Amino acid sequence: MSPGPKLVVKDKNKKNVFWPSDEMRERAWVGTDRIYKDAAKSPKDFWANLARDGLTWSKPWKKVYEGKPPYFKWFLGGQLNASYNCLDRHLETRGNKVAIIWEAEPEFERERKITYRGLYREVCKFSNVLRKLGVKKGDRVGIYLPMIPEVMVAMLSCARIGAIHSVVFSAFSGSNFKKRVEDCEAKVLITCDGYYRRGKPIVLKNQADVAASAKSVKKVVVVKRFDNKTKVKIAMKKGRDLWYHNLMAKASEDSKAVPVESNTPLFLLYTSGTTGKPKGVIHDTAGYLTQAYWTTLFNFDIHEDDVFWCTADIGWITGHTYNCYGPLSVGATMVIYEGSPDMPDWGRLWKIADKFDVSVFYTAPTAIRMFKKMGVKWPAHYDLSTLRILGTVGEPIDMETWHWYFKHICNNCCPVIDTWWQTETGGTLVNALPGVGPFIPTVAGRPFPGTVADILDDKGKPVKKGETGYLVFRPPFPPGLLRGVWKNPKKYRDTYWSEYGPKVYYTSDGAKWYDKHNIRVTGRVDDVMKVAGHRLSSAEVEDAITSHPEVIVSAVVPKPDEIRGQVPVAFIVLRPEVKPSPEVEASIVKQVKKEIGPTAKPHQIFFVKGLPKTRSGKIMRRFLRSILVNEKLGDASTLQNPEIVPYLKKLVGYRGK
Ligand code: WT7
């Protein structure tokens, strides 16, 4: 590995604290911490300036901010279009600049490079296709595509005509996609024949067909990813299913971007909460885009010659914001990769980074832990000296993993940005800025300029330094924050605005102050797991398990895992006449894969005669969690069935006291 420029220096007095070098400060968009103070004087003015400078508006807003707890609006009365901001406005200066570099998993396929003009043309055409299929402003469109450029085309085409997209992770099952399609009543679905994963062609269309049977669906557009030599069987339903390339061949390139009012929904993204039913998080247009634009620019310090690579799948919020709206609105070049990091070997990502001179690399701690396990020989084999900034997202990063990343990927030369945020926040909210620092392993950093974070105790009082509490945000709320839950205002209020009242956004994360400004996030305090960076709720997996005819009840809890962070473990009570067996176990696992997808597969299953329950019949997952990690158990006297505890301890092999 040849070292790149030295962009970080060690703190003179404190071990494990790093600062940007003079070179880094000088080239950074933000090179001093003055921005925090200035923004804090009037966050509303701060964001108003950013929205004016960063975005192109068709009509200026009349009012910057309005709060009617738990609702709020930004840039009221303003008009703009997200696809215009990602495409049209770049044409003059960046028309021939590459917007997307796509790398297929099979190495025999050549990469595709799509310029801003090329992407603009595709989006114009496809937005006309959508219009022809009857999609109107405010209609929902379900997108179920892997990491291929057409997924960005589909999203931006919806945005262009004011339709609301709902992208669903392509590794989720068809029935999971269907639940989401039914909830948002999507009119049109966009999918593909399939994609490559671990060297094999995976058929997606058959899964999409499950969702296409939903009542609201009128048309299904199918992108052809495979060539004619790839033998896969898919069925096209006459009158409903249409090939993307056929529709595009006849589509006009003339498509006006429809301006929408700032607070108009841009997209829905379903995410797991504490109940079995995923929530459709609503993101607006102007606030979301303002945050996507400026967090991309400031966090990753994007300049004209940068090559940005965020490894997240488009099916998650990280993919939406940092594989689509962020990089495209700032006019960056970005890399997307279709496949698995181990194809054909564990050097693949570094090979891609080397090949395309990637300068900003953003991934999840779970991926880094995997690379760490596979050994330094893989990154060491490639030239990664073009890297300038590294980022992580999705879960807390441990000390060792942070240092491995810092040392072996950038030769201790680049700022490592640990970004805390959520599906609900739309963009990053707590992290160090590369030209400001400090970079402290296991500490996410400072709330983004213009946002007001706090850490509160059970009673709602701010905690003292070193004490753990709950991370919250106060008004004015970050412009990228969710505006509602689709068709479920109660859920919106109950989940985010009831813990401390409607004027405080509750994140469900534990946190503490590392010092006056910097925050260490300790993780979820609700029944949401982070499995390999993916968000999964206990209740969702339990519902899938309980839908199996031989199951009476189940409880799913996370267990710490060296690579994946957490893995789901299931405790299952079978019907009395059913004997536990490998066959029953396999068929339950199959059921989970069918209902949710392979990411939710229980890592371990315990068949039990009962579960710890309160007197009111609520299952106490807390006990199961503690038993799994040999932790001291809480007071069992409140249980309806305390005798279950010694039984479970024995079964699991509890070694605690
Ligand atoms: C949850 C949100 C943000 C995009 C991807 C995840 C956890 C996220 C960090 C971090 C510690 C983190 C939190 C949060 N989380 N980033 N840097 N340090 N924890 O979005 O799937 O909605 O998950 O991920 O627990 O609440 P998500």
Side-chain angles (χ1 to χ4, degrees), residues 22 39 210 213 234 260 273 295 315 342 407 443 468 485 601:
D22 290 342
V210 177
S213 67
I234 64 161
V260 298
T295 54
D342 58 346
K407 181 165 179 205
V443 176
T468 307
V485 172
K601 190 183 140 202

PDB file of all heavy atoms in Angstrom, residues 22 39 210 213 234 260 273 295 315 342 407 443 468 485 601:
ATOM      1  N   ASP A  22      -3.041  20.267   8.646  1.00  0.00           N
ATOM      2  CA  ASP A  22      -3.251  21.580   8.025  1.00  0.00           C
ATOM      3  C   ASP A  22      -3.720  21.415   6.583  1.00  0.00           C
ATOM      4  O   ASP A  22      -4.577  22.148   6.108  1.00  0.00           O
ATOM      5  CB  ASP A  22      -1.958  22.400   8.066  1.00  0.00           C
ATOM      6  CG  ASP A  22      -1.644  22.822   9.494  1.00  0.00           C
ATOM      7  OD1 ASP A  22      -2.580  22.775  10.327  1.00  0.00           O
ATOM      8  OD2 ASP A  22      -0.480  23.163   9.782  1.00  0.00           O
ATOM      9  N   ALA A  39     -23.953  28.624  13.394  1.00  0.00           N
ATOM     10  CA  ALA A  39     -25.231  27.970  13.104  1.00  0.00           C
ATOM     11  C   ALA A  39     -26.141  28.018  14.330  1.00  0.00           C
ATOM     12  O   ALA A  39     -27.355  28.208  14.203  1.00  0.00           O
ATOM     13  CB  ALA A  39     -25.009  26.528  12.674  1.00  0.00           C
ATOM     14  N   VAL A 210     -45.083 -11.969  -6.652  1.00  0.00           N
ATOM     15  CA  VAL A 210     -45.871 -12.128  -5.426  1.00  0.00           C
ATOM     16  C   VAL A 210     -46.518 -10.791  -5.072  1.00  0.00           C
ATOM     17  O   VAL A 210     -47.713 -10.709  -4.771  1.00  0.00           O
ATOM     18  CB  VAL A 210     -44.972 -12.616  -4.253  1.00  0.00           C
ATOM     19  CG1 VAL A 210     -45.772 -12.711  -2.962  1.00  0.00           C
ATOM     20  CG2 VAL A 210     -44.310 -13.945  -4.595  1.00  0.00           C
ATOM     21  N   SER A 213     -49.395  -9.229  -7.361  1.00  0.00           N
ATOM     22  CA  SER A 213     -50.776  -9.681  -7.196  1.00  0.00           C
ATOM     23  C   SER A 213     -51.568  -8.756  -6.267  1.00  0.00           C
ATOM     24  O   SER A 213     -52.776  -8.935  -6.091  1.00  0.00           O
ATOM     25  CB  SER A 213     -50.786 -11.119  -6.656  1.00  0.00           C
ATOM     26  OG  SER A 213     -50.271 -11.122  -5.340  1.00  0.00           O
ATOM     27  N   ILE A 234     -38.491 -16.744 -16.355  1.00  0.00           N
ATOM     28  CA  ILE A 234     -39.426 -15.826 -15.714  1.00  0.00           C
ATOM     29  C   ILE A 234     -40.674 -15.734 -16.585  1.00  0.00           C
ATOM     30  O   ILE A 234     -40.621 -15.981 -17.782  1.00  0.00           O
ATOM     31  CB  ILE A 234     -38.828 -14.415 -15.502  1.00  0.00           C
ATOM     32  CG1 ILE A 234     -38.516 -13.741 -16.837  1.00  0.00           C
ATOM     33  CG2 ILE A 234     -37.600 -14.442 -14.630  1.00  0.00           C
ATOM     34  CD1 ILE A 234     -38.369 -12.248 -16.705  1.00  0.00           C
ATOM     35  N   VAL A 260     -42.599  20.904  -7.172  1.00  0.00           N
ATOM     36  CA  VAL A 260     -43.547  20.571  -6.099  1.00  0.00           C
ATOM     37  C   VAL A 260     -43.264  21.468  -4.891  1.00  0.00           C
ATOM     38  O   VAL A 260     -42.152  21.984  -4.740  1.00  0.00           O
ATOM     39  CB  VAL A 260     -43.441  19.090  -5.666  1.00  0.00           C
ATOM     40  CG1 VAL A 260     -43.779  18.158  -6.826  1.00  0.00           C
ATOM     41  CG2 VAL A 260     -42.057  18.760  -5.108  1.00  0.00           C
ATOM     42  N   GLY A 273     -39.829  -1.308  13.241  1.00  0.00           N
ATOM     43  CA  GLY A 273     -39.969  -0.681  14.544  1.00  0.00           C
ATOM     44  C   GLY A 273     -40.173  -1.746  15.588  1.00  0.00           C
ATOM     45  O   GLY A 273     -39.689  -2.867  15.432  1.00  0.00           O
ATOM     46  N   THR A 295     -24.885  17.429   3.821  1.00  0.00           N
ATOM     47  CA  THR A 295     -24.134  16.407   4.561  1.00  0.00           C
ATOM     48  C   THR A 295     -23.161  15.705   3.610  1.00  0.00           C
ATOM     49  O   THR A 295     -22.045  15.373   4.003  1.00  0.00           O
ATOM     50  CB  THR A 295     -25.052  15.372   5.243  1.00  0.00           C
ATOM     51  OG1 THR A 295     -25.932  14.810   4.273  1.00  0.00           O
ATOM     52  CG2 THR A 295     -25.850  15.999   6.374  1.00  0.00           C
ATOM     53  N   GLY A 315     -31.704  -0.161  -1.088  1.00  0.00           N
ATOM     54  CA  GLY A 315     -32.897  -0.501  -0.329  1.00  0.00           C
ATOM     55  C   GLY A 315     -32.928   0.089   1.075  1.00  0.00           C
ATOM     56  O   GLY A 315     -33.934  -0.014   1.767  1.00  0.00           O
ATOM     57  N   ASP A 342     -16.948 -10.737  -1.604  1.00  0.00           N
ATOM     58  CA  ASP A 342     -16.007 -11.864  -1.665  1.00  0.00           C
ATOM     59  C   ASP A 342     -15.965 -12.523  -3.047  1.00  0.00           C
ATOM     60  O   ASP A 342     -15.573 -13.668  -3.175  1.00  0.00           O
ATOM     61  CB  ASP A 342     -16.364 -12.895  -0.602  1.00  0.00           C
ATOM     62  CG  ASP A 342     -17.782 -13.413  -0.764  1.00  0.00           C
ATOM     63  OD1 ASP A 342     -18.559 -12.791  -1.524  1.00  0.00           O
ATOM     64  OD2 ASP A 342     -18.120 -14.432  -0.139  1.00  0.00           O
ATOM     65  N   LYS A 407      -5.714   1.961   9.953  1.00  0.00           N
ATOM     66  CA  LYS A 407      -4.352   1.538   9.629  1.00  0.00           C
ATOM     67  C   LYS A 407      -4.262   0.842   8.270  1.00  0.00           C
ATOM     68  O   LYS A 407      -3.424   1.195   7.450  1.00  0.00           O
ATOM     69  CB  LYS A 407      -3.860   0.592  10.727  1.00  0.00           C
ATOM     70  CG  LYS A 407      -2.457   0.110  10.505  1.00  0.00           C
ATOM     71  CD  LYS A 407      -1.862  -0.520  11.746  1.00  0.00           C
ATOM     72  CE  LYS A 407      -0.450  -1.000  11.433  1.00  0.00           C
ATOM     73  NZ  LYS A 407      -0.051  -2.080  12.325  1.00  0.00           N
ATOM     74  N   VAL A 443     -16.478   7.141  19.226  1.00  0.00           N
ATOM     75  CA  VAL A 443     -17.263   8.348  19.482  1.00  0.00           C
ATOM     76  C   VAL A 443     -17.761   8.878  18.138  1.00  0.00           C
ATOM     77  O   VAL A 443     -16.951   9.176  17.262  1.00  0.00           O
ATOM     78  CB  VAL A 443     -16.404   9.427  20.180  1.00  0.00           C
ATOM     79  CG1 VAL A 443     -17.185  10.717  20.355  1.00  0.00           C
ATOM     80  CG2 VAL A 443     -15.909   8.905  21.519  1.00  0.00           C
ATOM     81  N   THR A 468     -25.126   7.650  30.979  1.00  0.00           N
ATOM     82  CA  THR A 468     -25.848   7.239  29.780  1.00  0.00           C
ATOM     83  C   THR A 468     -27.299   7.698  29.853  1.00  0.00           C
ATOM     84  O   THR A 468     -27.929   7.619  30.903  1.00  0.00           O
ATOM     85  CB  THR A 468     -25.813   5.707  29.628  1.00  0.00           C
ATOM     86  OG1 THR A 468     -24.456   5.299  29.693  1.00  0.00           O
ATOM     87  CG2 THR A 468     -26.383   5.274  28.288  1.00  0.00           C
ATOM     88  N   VAL A 485     -45.638   8.928   9.303  1.00  0.00           N
ATOM     89  CA  VAL A 485     -45.624   7.509   8.971  1.00  0.00           C
ATOM     90  C   VAL A 485     -46.836   7.296   8.070  1.00  0.00           C
ATOM     91  O   VAL A 485     -47.947   7.723   8.414  1.00  0.00           O
ATOM     92  CB  VAL A 485     -45.715   6.641  10.239  1.00  0.00           C
ATOM     93  CG1 VAL A 485     -45.896   5.168   9.872  1.00  0.00           C
ATOM     94  CG2 VAL A 485     -44.468   6.824  11.099  1.00  0.00           C
ATOM     95  N   LYS A 601     -33.008 -14.544   9.022  1.00  0.00           N
ATOM     96  CA  LYS A 601     -32.900 -15.943   9.451  1.00  0.00           C
ATOM     97  C   LYS A 601     -32.353 -16.055  10.879  1.00  0.00           C
ATOM     98  O   LYS A 601     -31.297 -15.509  11.174  1.00  0.00           O
ATOM     99  CB  LYS A 601     -31.944 -16.614   8.458  1.00  0.00           C
ATOM    100  CG  LYS A 601     -31.873 -18.085   8.572  1.00  0.00           C
ATOM    101  CD  LYS A 601     -30.838 -18.622   7.603  1.00  0.00           C
ATOM    102  CE  LYS A 601     -30.152 -19.704   8.352  1.00  0.00           C
ATOM    103  NZ  LYS A 601     -28.900 -20.157   8.043  1.00  0.00           N
TER     104      LYS A 601
END
